[in-house]
Amino acid sequence: MRSACQWEDYELLDCSDGERLERWGDIILIRPDPQVIWKTPKNHPLWKNAHARYLRSNSGGGRWETYKKIPDAWSVKYKSLNFNVKPMGFKHTGIFPEQAVNWDFMSDIIKNAGRPVKVLNLFAYTGCATIAALKAGASVCHVDASKGMVAWAKENAATSGVADKPVRWIVDDCIKFVRREIRRGNKYDIIIMDPPSYGRGPGGEVWKLENEVHSFVDICKDVLSDDPLMVLVNSYTTGLSPSVMEYILGCTVSPKYGGKLTCDEIGIPVKNTGMNLPCGASAMWLKD
């Protein structure tokens, strides 16, 4: 497992009985996590002194229960990157801190490429990976179907001081966008994607990751440049293991470009126990 252990403004203080105890800057939040199936004692004092806790509803969704006043948004820093945190209606904050290991990995590839690098960030959410790529010196095409998420990503770019860097902000269905890019002949050196487990398109189309990920990655290989550097696929879908995604990259990208494959879990260190909480899976195709 690759563990995101270089944060200063974020800490996973403890986790037990389906919940995480987290520090986001100076704000302490308690959020549900279905992977936390152990029921260890909640001895950390901040379990009883958090700013807010997300409570799930039996009818679906949930709400934030606040115990202390918190701002609508605040900034947290990871190395030279700054992101705006906002407690959302579905437990999220706009940042997946475990992804820092992938931001660092991609940034190193960009910095060491010795040439201009074009990045395509699909299902790009609030743009943390986009900001990391821009900071590293790449040009980025950021694509997400949610207008609100793209607006949030632009805020993060401004907060990190990269709003003037070469970036295209696209609000669109990722599959349709990639197909148009193929027709237009646009190419990218790095493709990163974090597709949702399940969703519906504007026309009611159903997206289920297990059914769609192979065909989507196969399409995406056609917008890779003649000398690509990396393809990264992230997943938070239970049952879609790192090895399965690695196999998909081996079936789609490797036959055309050679290269090498790698996959692993990514996670976050738990301060109270010294262990790592697994948070997701990544698979990568890399240039030799």
Side-chain angles (χ1 to χ4, degrees):
M1 180 189 297
R2 289 181 295 140
S3 181
C5 57
Q6 298 186 58
W7 279 92
E8 293 184 8
D9 281 359
Y10 172 84
E11 281 185 296
L12 179 52
L13 301 169
D14 196 11
C15 52
S16 178
D17 197 17
E19 292 183 309
R20 298 186 189 187
L21 177 68
E22 302 171 298
R23 179 180 66 83
W24 297 86
D26 296 327
I27 306 297
I28 306 300
L29 301 179
I30 299 172
R31 296 191 298 154
D33 187 329
Q35 288 198 112
V36 181
I37 60 174
W38 46 91
K39 296 186 179 182
T40 50
K42 292 184 174 180
N43 294 328
H44 197 293
L46 290 176
W47 281 110
K48 297 180 179 179
N49 199 29
H51 289 78
R53 180 184 229 134
Y54 188 87
L55 301 175
R56 290 196 181 279
S57 169
N58 292 331
S59 58
R63 62 181 178 85
W64 286 97
E65 184 173 79
T66 56
Y67 311 118
K68 302 177 185 180
K69 187 175 181 179
I70 60 174
D72 293 333
W74 65 96
S75 179
V76 297
K77 186 174 183 178
Y78 178 76
K79 297 183 177 179
S80 64
L81 312 177
N82 287 277
F83 307 119
N84 296 317
V85 176
K86 302 177 186 179
M88 299 167 64
F90 186 66
K91 84 172 183 178
H92 295 304
T93 61
I95 302 172
F96 290 86
E98 64 276 5
Q99 288 293 333
V101 293
N102 286 331
W103 309 334
D104 288 343
F105 194 95
M106 175 188 61
S107 296
D108 287 342
I109 289 176
I110 293 167
K111 291 173 183 177
N112 294 323
R115 59 181 170 92
V117 176
K118 292 178 64 179
V119 175
L120 176 60
N121 187 7
L122 298 167
F123 309 98
Y125 196 49
T126 60
C128 297
T130 294
I131 309 310
L134 291 171
K135 277 277 188 179
S139 60
V140 183
C141 181
H142 172 110
V143 187
D144 196 278
S146 168
K147 185 177 181 180
M149 291 300 105
V150 174
W152 192 340
K154 290 180 180 179
E155 293 174 12
N156 283 334
T159 301
S160 280
V162 294
D164 61 339
K165 300 295 184 182
V167 56
R168 296 166 61 201
W169 303 106
I170 308 293
V171 179
D172 203 351
D173 176 89
C174 287
I175 298 175
K176 293 177 181 177
F177 177 80
V178 169
R179 286 175 175 157
R180 284 198 295 272
E181 289 291 88
I182 293 170
R183 293 195 296 268
R184 288 187 284 243
N186 288 335
K187 302 288 184 179
Y188 300 89
D189 304 299
I190 293 175
I191 298 176
I192 56 178
M193 65 179 76
D194 197 348
S197 299
Y198 180 86
R200 288 188 179 274
E205 309 91 340
V206 175
W207 163 279
K208 191 173 182 181
L209 184 58
E210 297 95 321
N211 298 337
E212 305 291 345
V213 64
H214 176 266
S215 59
F216 184 60
V217 174
D218 193 43
I219 292 169
C220 287
K221 78 177 189 304
D222 294 328
V223 291
L224 285 169
S225 67
D226 294 334
D227 188 20
L229 299 171
M230 181 175 76
V231 179
L232 167 64
V233 184
N234 292 305
S235 172
Y236 291 92
T237 302
T238 303
L240 192 63
S241 71
S243 297
V244 168
M245 295 189 297
E246 181 186 48
Y247 199 98
I248 290 170
L249 288 170
C251 292
T252 54
V253 181
S254 294
K256 184 175 181 179
Y257 294 101
K260 57 187 178 182
L261 299 168
T262 183
C263 68
D264 50 24
E265 286 187 300
I266 56 176
I268 310 170
V270 183
K271 185 176 181 181
N272 204 39
T273 64
M275 295 187 285
N276 289 290
L277 176 68
C279 297
S282 292
M284 284 182 271
W285 173 89
L286 299 166
K287 178 184 176 179
D288 280 325

